Amino acid sequence: MKKLLFLVSLLLLTGGVRAQSRGENYDESKVPVYTLPDPLICENGQRVTSVRQWETTRRPELLNMFSSQMYGITPKEDIPVEYQIVSEKKNAFQGKASCKQIRFCFKKNGKEIEAMLILYTPNAIKGKVPVFLSYNFMGNQSIDADEDILVSPGLKFVKSPDDKSMERGYQQSRWPIEMILDAGFGLATMCYHDIYPDDNALKDKSVLALFDDYEQTNGRPDAWQALGGWAWGLSRIMDCLEKDDRVNEKQVVVMGHSRQGKATLWSGAQDKRFAIVISNNSGCGGAALSKRRYGETFRIMTNSFPHWLCKTAEQYADNEDMLPFDQHELIALIAPRPVYIASAQEDRWADPKGEFLSGVHAASVYELYGLKGLGVTEMPAVNQPIMNNIGYHIRPGKHDVMDIDWQNYIRFAQKHLAELN
Ligand code: GCU
């Protein structure tokens, strides 16, 4: 008995029990048998045979489904916003780039929310440039050590000023800004906490609180929450980029990592202004197929982050077979625009195979447009990127954004933006 107690406490102390306590499965042979809905079959059973039918019937059906069952409904109301260029310098990175910091002030119903965008554009190119747009997690000041970068306003709700992650350049390994500039792209980023501070208790501090029906919709099962809010925020950044004289608004490539990969796919599905959509290690609720229940599942995610999805989504926890859709249909909603899905070998939590398969099963919609989807059904080896209208890579290493990811995104964007011209 004593021995048993010792063993149990040892397991608890070493995390041996904790590691399994969320009940995730990492054994491919235990992935349940599942049936994926066909993106081209309408709710009334009819098969989609034309682009017109897809765009007028099936696409809206799927958007409604993802709104009412997963991310919540994005309100149509316009929120007034004032932009103010608070700093502008022409000699960032030893003269390589110009850098603007643009303050957004969303104002409605006596409430105000402040957000800060930073936009780099390469000086070597005159006129408009293609731009990568991506949220950062730790504030604009975390992407580079430059003292002139203003600390992101949303951080005050979630971090204490002495938090290590508040340090300048803390996440610079995720932001190879010079590499992006050298490739002829601009980069726009904002901290996602500016739009919705990522905490279950902070909804009142988010942009959601500005909407007229905020109080009424608060308890509604299909009311949007943080992922919907972040997706909406990307569209508001796009509104601003459209007005900037250095940004080619037809060539904005939206990229998101992890929880922001989820928001980015949802934003790209709804907002056709994004020319290319990229998901980096987005996992459950992003590119990974939910019905596989590999790694993070609906139940784990809705328990840990009850403020991300709409409440209706909770009914699918441990009940994925009842889901009337799966994430390959979110990818399909981006068609015919190029979409790229990236996985990391050690990021089993995000289910690399499930991320890959959603690309495979979105292909039929791209084919409807006469385009090539992924073009393969077997997962490629590591560092063997696929760059068709659906792109995919798996790289060695952990859940992260690395130079190798960016190198592939740049190549993918260069290839497809050239085809757009
Ligand atoms: C957690 C969460 C994931 C999410 C990730 C991230 O691991 O479970 O769903 O993608 O955080 O955003 O880094």
Side-chain angles (χ1 to χ4, degrees):
M1 187 63 188
K2 259 192 189 158
K3 257 193 191 160
L4 191 70
L5 272 176
F6 173 74
L7 210 68
V8 169
S9 24
L10 193 73
L11 273 173
L12 280 170
L13 279 174
T14 55
V17 167
R18 196 160 27 108
Q20 289 175 11
S21 64
R22 292 205 267 179
E24 66 272 25
N25 170 45
Y26 286 136
D27 179 348
E28 194 59 40
S29 73
K30 295 209 173 92
V31 168
V33 177
Y34 60 90
T35 314
L36 287 182
D38 183 335
L40 292 179
I41 307 271
C42 297
E43 274 165 26
N44 67 5
Q46 250 186 15
R47 169 162 286 278
V48 173
T49 52
S50 68
V51 165
R52 203 186 119 76
Q53 212 183 346
W54 165 257
E55 289 184 355
T56 57
T57 309
R58 183 58 179 153
R59 192 172 185 281
E61 274 181 12
L62 282 170
L63 278 172
N64 278 337
M65 213 133 56
F66 280 105
S67 299
S68 62
Q69 312 285 306
M70 184 100 175
Y71 304 108
I73 297 171
T74 311
K76 297 226 164 27
E77 187 186 331
D78 280 333
I79 301 294
V81 49
E82 285 165 13
Y83 309 112
Q84 185 196 358
I85 299 178
V86 288
S87 86
E88 194 164 10
K89 71 172 170 186
K90 303 265 180 225
N91 60 345
F93 296 104
Q94 295 83 43
K96 194 173 272 186
S98 298
C99 173
K100 272 183 209 161
Q101 299 188 78
I102 306 171
R103 180 176 179 267
F104 286 43
C105 186
F106 297 102
K107 276 192 188 164
K108 191 84 199 262
N109 296 329
K111 293 182 203 154
E112 282 188 21
I113 288 182
E114 191 193 354
M116 193 69 74
L117 183 76
I118 186 160
L119 170 66
Y120 292 96
T121 45
N123 287 339
I125 301 175
K126 300 285 161 250
K128 296 189 172 217
V129 292
V131 168
F132 280 101
L133 162 62
S134 184
Y135 280 125
N136 63 72
F137 281 68
M138 306 283 185
N140 293 350
Q141 82 294 338
S142 73
I143 71 163
D144 187 78
D146 182 350
E147 292 286 330
D148 293 337
I149 302 180
L150 299 163
V151 173
S152 290
L155 289 172
K156 61 179 173 290
F157 301 118
V158 289
K159 303 250 184 235
S160 71
D162 53 358
D163 195 306
K164 194 164 162 37
S165 65
M166 292 282 286
E167 277 171 20
R168 292 192 176 274
Y170 184 74
Q171 290 217 308
Q172 63 186 2
S173 69
R174 287 188 177 179
W175 299 94
I177 307 173
E178 291 194 69
M179 176 169 106
I180 295 169
L181 293 163
D182 288 343
F185 289 82
L187 173 69
T189 181
M190 177 185 280
C191 179
Y192 81 127
H193 294 298
D194 289 2
I195 297 296
Y196 192 131
D198 191 3
D199 186 303
N200 192 23
L202 293 175
K203 196 173 189 170
D204 287 347
K205 305 282 180 214
S206 78
V207 291
L208 276 61
L210 301 174
F211 285 79
D212 282 343
D213 59 357
Y214 176 58
E215 303 292 344
Q216 295 95 289
T217 54
N218 234 338
R220 263 194 17 210
D222 58 5
W224 65 335
Q225 296 215 83
L227 281 169
W230 294 322
W232 178 91
L234 289 169
S235 291
R236 301 295 70 79
I237 299 174
M238 183 67 183
D239 299 342
C240 173
L241 295 179
E242 279 184 322
K243 296 184 182 41
D244 194 281
D245 56 359
R246 290 300 321 277
V247 176
N248 182 341
E249 71 280 7
K250 300 258 180 292
Q251 302 199 337
V252 175
V253 183
V254 67
M255 189 286 259
H257 168 61
S258 206
R259 65 197 69 185
Q260 288 316 322
K262 309 179 209 297
T264 295
L265 288 173
W266 179 225
S267 190
Q270 296 174 91
D271 191 336
K272 293 183 179 174
R273 292 175 298 171
F274 294 118
I276 297 179
V277 183
I278 302 175
S279 146
N280 190 85
N281 307 177
S282 61
C284 182
L289 292 176
S290 308
K291 290 180 193 282
R292 277 174 47 81
R293 306 186 197 183
Y294 184 102
E296 186 175 26
T297 59
F298 250 68
R299 183 180 53 70
I300 302 176
M301 189 166 75
T302 51
N303 277 347
S304 330
F305 307 100
H307 61 294
W308 283 6
L309 297 173
C310 72
K311 290 291 159 200
T312 328
E314 290 172 12
Q315 67 183 306
Y316 300 111
D318 294 328
N319 196 20
E320 285 85 346
D321 288 343
M322 292 311 290
L323 264 174
F325 55 87
D326 211 326
Q327 298 305 101
H328 62 304
E329 292 172 306
L330 184 65
I331 306 295
L333 282 170
I334 295 161
R337 291 162 296 148
V339 60
Y340 195 100
I341 302 167
S343 306
Q345 213 175 12
E346 290 171 41
D347 186 20
R348 296 188 306 163
W349 184 243
D351 185 13
K353 185 165 179 192
E355 294 180 318
F356 168 74
L357 287 175
S358 70
V360 171
H361 295 290
S364 57
V365 178
Y366 281 79
E367 285 159 10
L368 196 66
Y369 283 92
L371 298 167
K372 195 166 174 181
L374 258 178
V376 298
T377 50
E378 288 298 315
M379 246 175 121
V382 290
N383 291 340
Q384 296 295 318
I386 296 167
M387 302 233 170
N388 294 321
N389 289 84
I390 303 178
Y392 178 81
H393 76 239
I394 178 163
R395 57 146 174 86
K398 293 194 175 36
H399 187 72
D400 201 355
V401 191
M402 301 176 69
D403 282 6
I404 178 87
D405 297 312
W406 278 107
Q407 278 155 14
N408 286 332
Y409 303 154
I410 289 170
R411 264 183 61 203
F412 186 74
Q414 280 171 333
K415 172 174 180 210
H416 290 286
L417 293 177
E419 280 165 11
L420 278 180
N421 288 331

